[in-house]
Amino acid sequence: MKLCFSDEFWSEFRQLSPHIQKQAKQAFEHFALNPRYPSLRFKCVNKNVAKYSIRVDRTYRVLGYMQGSEITWYWIGHHDEYERLI
């Protein structure tokens, strides 16, 4: 699966603490090797628009849109905001 990142994603990513940034990078490394890596909890959160999520840690999530074998991650943030976005 090909991973892409939107400009909005990187803008939000840069605002995160270094600790969360490191965890997010590790999550994407795991995802690149195995999207079904257990701690990621990769799942479809909206089938109508092919919106997917992965878990960075207990409180941070990432959202992306899948098209074919490519996923574009467009958002990263706290679980509370994630709940509003899905």
Side-chain angles (χ1 to χ4, degrees), residues 40-51:
L40 299 175
R41 299 199 181 172
F42 178 55
K43 65 181 179 180
C44 181
V45 294
N46 185 325
K47 288 183 181 186
N48 293 331
V49 293
K51 186 187 292 189

Side-chain angles (χ1 to χ4, degrees), residues 16-79:
L16 299 172
S17 72
H19 174 72
I20 298 298
Q21 288 182 9
K22 181 179 177 181
Q23 287 186 296
K25 288 176 185 178
Q26 288 174 338
F28 287 118
E29 287 172 7
H30 288 306
F31 188 87
L33 295 172
N34 177 9
R36 302 290 178 201
Y37 192 83
S39 67
L40 299 175
R41 299 199 181 172
F42 178 55
K43 65 181 179 180
C44 181
V45 294
N46 185 325
K47 288 183 181 186
N48 293 331
V49 293
K51 186 187 292 189
Y52 286 78
S53 74
I54 61 170
R55 174 185 280 205
V56 172
D57 72 359
R58 296 178 90 181
T59 58
Y60 283 86
R61 303 292 187 272
V62 181
L63 290 172
Y65 290 108
M66 188 177 305
Q67 185 173 13
S69 63
E70 179 177 296
I71 189 160
T72 301
W73 300 109
Y74 70 90
W75 181 87
I76 184 170
H78 197 272
H79 188 269

